């Protein structure tokens, strides 16, 4: 597993030298991990389509992802690498407290992320559990896809949750995990390592993104903290409940009764607890999208020389998002179009970028759309004000995001006005206006131009619905938050540079931004949530079923998210309706057929033949959710039995 991560990261690291200039080593390693995973996953998909998902396909994909290392045969690129390496050594070995603070900043972030994602999945004597309150349904969903690759010979990829339909859900992230499992790693270790590395990469990329835009080191350091720990005003619920408790505040903190950023009363959520631990595709898609945004920002920030090959490379990386995270691809479409309209002189670069993106994305989308059960019409409709319902939209957004919007406006205003004030200060400084400090100042209109597409995403997310489940608009709205974070942190950094009283105000504002999210992250990290996903009997039953059934067997089971069949990698006639409906699949007719099968009788036999069912599972889930005709199934041979789990062979 670690060899796979190191090798793919090395290839991605090398590729950054084709399009990114003057970047820190840490940025290149962070970007390299994300780029390497995207290239490896895409190449593996192609290789497995031709050869099947086996070791040879993995080796071919690994060779493709490693190929950018050939860049360093160029003397110029080798010299750039050595220069960056020496600069990195200089920063690491620099005397004083600054180097120690850097180490603590990144080290603490890594530790928290490792502890947090370590709770996504873990095993005890009770079975497989999750320590994340929002991950109960998402964990088995992703496990089902991963095991369908490693244990179910699922190539070309079919939907394991809805037999007979193409797997149109962006699956590259799970395919990369499956590759690590295929070569000997455990699924838990693979998911943990990938999640921590990608979250840390996003942390580093957000810091660099904010610094490149605003040239403020303090604002850059605050930006990822605000993004990862963001939440709404749910901390008022915490303060109210803490004040009412009879025990100590420590006892209350170690026994938090709920999440404070999401529930029936709050819908914004915290990025870590509601998105990155649950939606693994976004955790790869967002840092990849941010790498592309970082590159496209050059259209606004500089009159750069034409780099058409670099435009093509970054465009090709953007195109891989079609099977990594489709909503991120849509976001980049909006950002690219808006910035191109604002900088028509960049039209040639924009065309090269678009051609490269389309050459990959269109092929992937065409493949995914053929044979899918997903109805694309379910992914777009008019829907006002997201999840506000009957509540006043302004009150809804303030309650859910707190001071996010006011501080973003304040930061944008300060960034817009800041150029003139800094110019005046530098004119009267002993140094005067040097080339160096002129270079660090952005034209004031750039700030508004930069923010325009992100504000447009906020408007779109409040006018339309871009997924069958309205809450999934968060996949669009989270990018508005991402574009706002640099200005929020800039407003706080401006206060921190003022007198002592202003520093106190800035600290208080920072706390209001991160307290709710920090409480939810703490609730996860401290082990207060322990949700059983699969019992020990279910795990053992899955192993037995896996041993006696063909890899491509079709099994009928209860329509639940945590069916034991998930762990076998086999196809289910139908699983959890919540997942199916959120992916635009009409499941109602099949659920009626599934109920008829368990009811037994002539209709059941007809349906078993119609769907070419191989096995039927009867377990506690089937008995609790369906009416099971035991006399009917007693006519079929038993293929596997363990406790309350019985698998009948019906064909």
């Amino acid at each position: 597993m670690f060899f796979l991560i190191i090798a793919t990261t090395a290839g991605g690291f090398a590729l950054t030298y084709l399009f990114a200039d003057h970047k820190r080593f840490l940025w290149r390693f962070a970007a390299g991990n994300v780029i390497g995973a995207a290239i490896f996953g895409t190449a593996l998909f192609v290789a497995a389509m031709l050869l099947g998902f086996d070791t040879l396909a993995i080796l071919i994909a690994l060779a493709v992802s490693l190929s950018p290392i050939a860049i360093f045969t160029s003397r110029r690129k080798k010299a750039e690498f050595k220069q960056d390496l020496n600069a990195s050594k200089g920063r690491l070995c620099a005397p004083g407290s600054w180097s120690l603070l850097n180490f603590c900043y990144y080290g603490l972030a890594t530790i928290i992320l490792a502890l947090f994602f370590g709770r996504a999945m873990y095993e005890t004597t009770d079975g497989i559990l999750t320590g994340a309150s929002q991950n109960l349904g998402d964990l088995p969903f992703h496990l089902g896809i991963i095991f369908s690759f490693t244990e179910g010979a699922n190539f070309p990829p079919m939907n394991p949750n809805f037999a007979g339909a193409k797997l149109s859900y962006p699956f590259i992230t799970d395919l990369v995990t499956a590759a690590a499992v295929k070569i000997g790693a455990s699924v838990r270790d693979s998911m943990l390592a990938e999640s921590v590395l990608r979250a840390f990469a996003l942390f580093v990329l957000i810091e660099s993104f904010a610094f490149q835009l605003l040239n403020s080191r303090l604002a850059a350091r605050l930006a990822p903290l605000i993004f990862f720990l963001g939440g709404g005003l749910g901390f008022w619920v915490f303060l109210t409940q803490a004040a009412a408790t009879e025990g100590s505040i420590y006892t209350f903190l170690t026994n938090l009764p709920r999440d404070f950023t999401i529930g029936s009363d709050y819908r914004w959520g915290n990025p870590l607890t509601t998105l990155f631990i649950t939606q693994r595709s976004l955790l790869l898609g967002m840092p990849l999208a941010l790498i592309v945004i970082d590159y496209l920002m050059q259209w606004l920030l500089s009159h750069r020389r034409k780099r058409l090959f670099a435009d093509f490379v970054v465009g090709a990386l953007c195109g891989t998002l079609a099977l990594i995270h489709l909503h991120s691809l849509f976001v980049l479409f909006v950002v690219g179009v808006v910035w191109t309209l604002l900088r028509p002189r960049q039209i040639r670069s924009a065309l090269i970028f678009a051609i490269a993106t389309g050459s990959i994305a269109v092929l992937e989308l065409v493949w995914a759309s053929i044979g899918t059960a997903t109805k694309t019409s379910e992914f777009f409709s008019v829907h006002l004000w997201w999840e506000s319902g009957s509540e006043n939209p302004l009150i809804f957004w303030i309650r859910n995001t707190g001071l996010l919007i006011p501080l973003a406006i304040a930061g944008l205003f300060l960034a817009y006005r800041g150029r003139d004030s800094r110019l005046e200060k530098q004119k009267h400084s002993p140094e005067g206006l040097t080339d160096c400090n002129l270079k660090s100042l952005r034209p004031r209109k750039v700030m508004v131009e930069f923010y325009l597409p992100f504000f447009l995403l906020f408007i779109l997310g409040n006018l339309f619905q871009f997924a069958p489940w309205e809450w999934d608009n968060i996949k669009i709205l989270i990018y508005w938050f991402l574009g706002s974070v640099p200005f929020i942190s800039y407003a706080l950094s401006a206060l921190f540079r003022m007198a002592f009283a202003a520093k106190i105000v800035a600290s208080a504002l920072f706390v209001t931004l991160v307290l709710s999210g920090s409480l939810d992250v703490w609730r996860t990290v401290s082990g207060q949530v322990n949700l059983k996903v699969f019992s020990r009997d279910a795990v053992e039953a899955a192993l037995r079923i896996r041993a006696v059934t063909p890899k491509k067997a079709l099994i009928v089971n209860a329509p639940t998210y945590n069916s034991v069949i998930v762990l076998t990698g086999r196809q289910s006639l139908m699983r959890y309706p919540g997942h199916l409906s959120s992916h635009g699949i009409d499941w109602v007719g099949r659920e009626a057929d599934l109920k008829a099968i368990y009811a037994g009788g002539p209709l059941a036999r007809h349906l078993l033949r119609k769907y070419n069912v191989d096995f039927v599972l009867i377990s506690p889930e089937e008995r609790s959710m369906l009416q099971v005709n035991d006399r009917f199934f007693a006519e079929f041979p038993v293929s596997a039995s363990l406790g309350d789990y019985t698998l009948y062979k019906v064909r």
Side-chain angles (χ1 to χ4, degrees):
M1 176 184 69
F2 287 108
F3 170 76
L4 188 65
I5 291 172
I6 291 170
T8 54
T9 300
F13 173 90
L15 195 66
T16 64
Y17 280 90
L18 285 181
F19 63 87
D21 298 327
H22 312 297
K23 295 292 188 181
R24 294 182 300 160
F25 243 40
L26 185 60
W27 185 94
R28 294 191 187 278
F29 276 117
N33 176 261
V34 174
I35 293 169
I39 295 174
F40 173 75
T42 304
L44 179 56
F45 166 62
V46 175
M49 287 290 288
L50 298 174
L51 304 172
F53 184 69
D54 56 16
T55 304
L56 178 59
I58 294 173
L59 290 175
I60 291 173
L62 190 59
V64 172
S65 60
L66 270 171
S67 61
I69 292 179
I71 292 168
F72 294 124
T73 57
S74 164
R75 286 187 177 182
R76 186 166 64 86
K77 295 300 180 185
K78 190 181 297 184
E80 288 181 30
F81 171 78
K82 289 182 178 179
Q83 183 179 0
D84 290 344
L85 180 61
N86 291 332
S88 179
K89 288 179 179 178
R91 282 190 289 268
L92 282 174
C93 301
S97 59
W98 189 248
S99 179
L100 179 61
L101 288 174
N102 279 343
F103 179 81
C104 293
Y105 177 76
Y106 295 117
L108 185 60
T110 304
I111 292 171
I112 292 174
L113 291 173
L115 293 173
F116 178 80
F117 285 105
R119 300 289 296 169
M121 172 186 171
Y122 58 98
E123 293 190 60
T124 69
T125 54
D126 292 330
I128 296 175
L129 292 82
T130 182
S133 61
Q134 305 299 316
N135 200 33
L136 184 61
D138 289 275
L139 175 60
F141 173 78
H142 288 288
L143 288 177
I145 295 177
I146 293 167
F147 284 128
S148 78
F149 293 138
T150 60
E151 307 297 334
N154 189 22
F155 262 89
M158 304 299 288
N159 194 334
N161 302 296
F162 199 77
K166 180 76 68 66
L167 180 58
S168 55
Y169 178 86
F171 56 81
I172 291 296
T173 299
D174 290 328
L175 181 60
V176 172
T177 303
V181 174
K182 192 74 171 179
I183 60 176
S186 72
V187 66
R188 193 259 180 183
D189 290 345
S190 300
M191 293 172 66
L192 174 60
E194 291 165 6
S195 297
V196 172
L197 287 170
R198 287 170 196 162
F200 181 76
L202 181 59
F203 188 93
V204 172
L205 292 169
I206 291 174
E207 181 197 5
S208 175
F209 167 66
F211 183 74
Q212 180 179 349
L213 178 66
L214 297 166
N215 200 45
S216 168
R217 182 58 65 190
L218 179 57
R221 288 295 168 88
L222 291 174
L225 300 177
I226 294 170
F227 185 79
F228 277 88
L229 298 176
L233 297 180
F235 63 84
W236 285 114
V237 178
F238 164 76
L239 294 175
T240 302
Q241 294 180 346
T245 187
E246 296 181 357
S248 66
I249 186 65
Y250 173 78
T251 301
F252 186 71
L253 278 171
T254 52
N255 294 275
L256 294 174
R258 54 163 289 175
D259 284 343
F260 295 98
T261 65
I262 195 160
S264 58
D265 46 355
Y266 292 93
R267 302 303 296 154
W268 179 245
N270 166 262
L272 277 171
T273 59
T274 62
L275 291 176
F276 297 144
I277 203 168
T278 60
Q279 300 183 27
R280 303 185 71 241
S281 296
L282 178 63
L283 192 52
L284 177 58
M286 178 169 276
L288 183 60
L290 190 52
I291 292 167
V292 177
I293 291 171
D294 182 275
Y295 179 80
L296 297 183
M297 279 171 61
Q298 301 306 315
W299 295 359
L300 297 176
L301 300 181
S302 65
H303 299 277
R304 61 184 180 86
R305 61 185 175 83
K306 288 183 171 54
R307 303 173 58 190
L308 300 183
F309 182 69
D311 294 330
F312 188 87
V313 170
V314 178
L317 290 175
C318 179
T320 64
L321 281 166
L323 288 180
I324 293 176
H325 192 252
L326 191 56
H327 284 83
S328 293
L329 182 62
F330 171 76
V331 166
L332 290 177
F333 172 79
V334 173
V335 171
V337 168
V338 172
W339 286 352
T340 301
L341 292 175
L342 291 171
R343 290 291 187 274
R345 67 176 181 272
Q346 301 282 6
I347 188 64
R348 189 176 177 188
S349 291
L351 287 174
I352 296 297
F353 176 86
I355 290 170
T357 300
S359 64
I360 293 178
V362 170
L363 290 176
E364 291 186 346
L365 290 173
V366 168
W367 175 86
S369 63
I370 296 174
T372 180
T374 297
K375 294 183 178 180
T376 55
S377 59
E378 297 288 323
F379 282 81
F380 183 80
S381 62
V382 175
H383 183 88
L384 299 181
W385 309 120
W386 192 40
E387 292 252 317
S388 61
S390 59
E391 186 177 9
N392 182 290
L394 180 60
I395 295 175
F396 169 82
W397 278 107
I398 292 176
R399 184 167 56 82
N400 273 273
T401 62
L403 296 176
L404 188 160
I405 295 175
L407 285 173
I409 295 172
L412 181 59
F413 176 77
L414 290 173
Y416 180 78
R417 292 294 302 273
R419 183 176 193 268
D420 291 342
S421 61
R422 284 184 289 165
L423 276 171
E424 287 300 317
K425 288 180 181 179
Q426 290 172 0
K427 281 180 182 178
H428 296 93
S429 69
E431 296 177 345
L433 283 174
T434 65
D435 290 340
C436 181
N437 57 40
L438 270 175
K439 184 180 178 181
S440 70
L441 300 176
R442 312 298 188 198
R444 54 165 38 178
K445 69 173 184 177
V446 165
M447 298 302 165
V448 176
E449 292 173 336
F450 165 83
Y451 193 61
L452 187 59
F454 298 100
F455 178 69
L456 179 58
L457 290 171
F458 178 75
I459 297 299
L460 291 173
N462 279 277
L463 293 180
F464 304 102
Q465 186 170 320
F466 293 95
W469 181 30
E470 65 184 35
W471 188 83
D472 271 349
N473 262 24
I474 191 70
K475 298 173 184 178
I476 302 294
L477 294 167
I478 193 66
Y479 279 97
W480 159 71
F481 182 30
L482 180 66
S484 302
V485 158
F487 298 109
I488 297 169
S489 60
Y490 190 70
L492 294 180
S493 67
L495 288 171
F496 274 119
R497 288 193 295 267
M498 296 180 184
F500 179 75
K503 289 180 171 63
I504 298 298
V505 172
S507 300
L509 292 174
F510 178 76
V511 169
T512 66
L513 289 169
V514 303
L515 181 54
S516 299
S518 297
L519 288 169
D520 285 1
V521 172
W522 161 251
R523 185 169 182 247
T524 301
V525 168
S526 59
Q528 297 179 43
V529 180
N530 297 280
L531 302 174
K532 185 183 293 185
V533 185
F534 297 102
S535 67
R536 175 55 55 187
D537 284 347
V539 175
E540 294 178 0
L543 293 175
R544 189 164 299 185
I545 292 171
R546 190 187 295 174
V548 300
T549 58
K551 289 181 179 293
K552 291 186 175 292
L554 173 57
I555 302 177
V556 174
N557 54 267
T560 179
Y561 61 89
N562 63 339
S563 170
V564 65
I565 303 305
V566 167
L567 302 177
T568 68
R570 305 318 188 237
Q571 299 280 316
S572 290
L573 181 65
M574 174 185 167
R575 291 182 195 164
Y576 184 47
H579 290 151
L580 299 175
S581 61
S582 68
H583 299 153
I585 297 175
D586 183 4
W587 49 270
V588 176
R590 187 167 293 193
E591 184 185 45
D593 290 345
L594 185 145
K595 290 178 179 179
I597 288 173
Y598 279 100
L603 179 58
R605 292 184 182 277
H606 166 72
L607 291 172
L608 290 172
R609 290 192 297 270
K610 172 186 174 182
Y611 288 109
N612 295 318
V613 174
D614 297 300
F615 300 91
V616 174
L617 174 69
I618 297 179
S619 73
E621 285 73 26
E622 283 72 29
R623 295 192 183 281
S624 65
M625 298 180 68
L626 304 164
Q627 292 184 350
V628 179
N629 186 338
D630 289 299
R631 182 176 299 177
F632 172 76
F633 289 104
E635 300 176 13
F636 298 100
V638 174
S639 292
S641 180
L642 178 68
D644 294 327
Y645 294 84
T646 304
L647 186 73
Y648 292 96
K649 183 176 176 60
V650 295
R651 190 172 71 145

